[in-house]
Amino acid sequence: MLNWIDIPPSWLTFFLAVAWVQAEALPLGLNVSLIWVDLAAGLLVGCGVILIALAAFEMRRHKTTILPHSETDRLVQSGVFSRSRNPIYLGDFLILAGMILYWDAVLALLLIPIFVWVIERRFVLPEEERLRRKFRLEFAHYEKKVRRWM
C-alpha cells in the first residue's frame, strides 16, 4: 500500500500544497506580480506537463512501466529520454517551479531544491541502481551519454 502512496505525484502534490499555503497564509508582502512572471510560470507548467506526457508516451511505446518502485522491462533511451534520464521528474520540477511563481509564493522557492533532493533520494538513485544491476553495460553507456536531469 505504501508504494502506491510513495510516488512522485504524491510528493509533488505535497510540495504544491505547502507552496500554496505559504502564498495564501504567509505572503509577508513579498511578491513579484509582473505579467512576465505569470507568463514564465505558464511556460514552466506547460513544458512540465508536455515533458511528462512525452515521457509517458515513450515508456508506453516501449511497453515498460512508469511506476517508480516497479521493475522495468526495458531501458528506454529514445525520445525525451535521449536528453534526460529523468524527464518525468524534470517535468515535476518545472510544474512546481511554475506554480510557485504563479502563486507568487516567494518563500516557497526554497522548496524547489528540497523537492529535487527528496525525488533524487527516494526515486532517482534507487531506480538507477536497479537499472545498473539489470542492464549493466547498456545502462553504463546510457549514463555516460545522457545527463541525469538535463
Side-chain angles (χ1 to χ4, degrees):
M1 177 67 175
L2 184 57
N3 283 349
W4 285 101
I5 295 170
D6 186 23
I7 56 174
S10 298
W11 284 99
L12 177 59
T13 301
F14 170 76
F15 277 83
L16 286 169
V18 171
W20 182 81
V21 166
Q22 185 271 297
E24 292 297 312
L26 301 167
L28 302 176
L30 300 172
N31 62 39
V32 287
S33 297
L34 302 170
I35 190 71
W36 67 268
V37 174
D38 287 344
L39 178 63
L43 285 171
L44 287 170
V45 172
C47 287
V49 170
I50 289 169
L51 198 55
I52 291 168
L54 289 172
F57 171 78
E58 200 64 26
M59 293 180 88
R60 180 146 172 90
R61 191 171 75 82
H62 286 274
K63 296 179 173 76
T64 192
T65 184
I66 197 168
L67 299 175
H69 297 297
S70 300
E71 193 69 33
T72 186
D73 297 326
R74 291 173 181 75
L75 179 61
V76 180
Q77 300 179 53
S78 57
V80 292
F81 289 93
S82 68
R83 299 285 181 195
S84 170
R85 294 195 316 257
N86 298 290
I88 295 174
Y89 303 141
L90 184 56
D92 289 341
F93 158 82
L94 293 173
I95 291 169
L96 177 61
M99 292 309 297
I100 286 172
L101 288 176
Y102 179 74
W103 288 327
D104 224 8
V106 176
L107 292 177
L109 288 170
L110 297 172
L111 293 174
I112 294 172
I114 297 168
F115 176 76
V116 170
W117 183 83
V118 167
I119 291 298
E120 196 166 84
R121 295 298 177 268
R122 293 287 314 133
F123 304 102
V124 173
L125 297 177
E127 282 177 20
E128 286 186 349
E129 188 54 39
R130 283 193 304 275
L131 293 171
R132 200 172 280 115
R133 279 195 316 267
K134 186 167 186 171
F135 298 105
R136 298 175 193 228
L137 187 58
E138 189 179 3
F139 185 75
H141 289 301
Y142 179 57
E143 190 174 30
K144 286 180 184 172
K145 184 175 64 171
V146 178
R147 290 177 179 234
R148 178 176 284 158
W149 292 103
M150 192 70 176

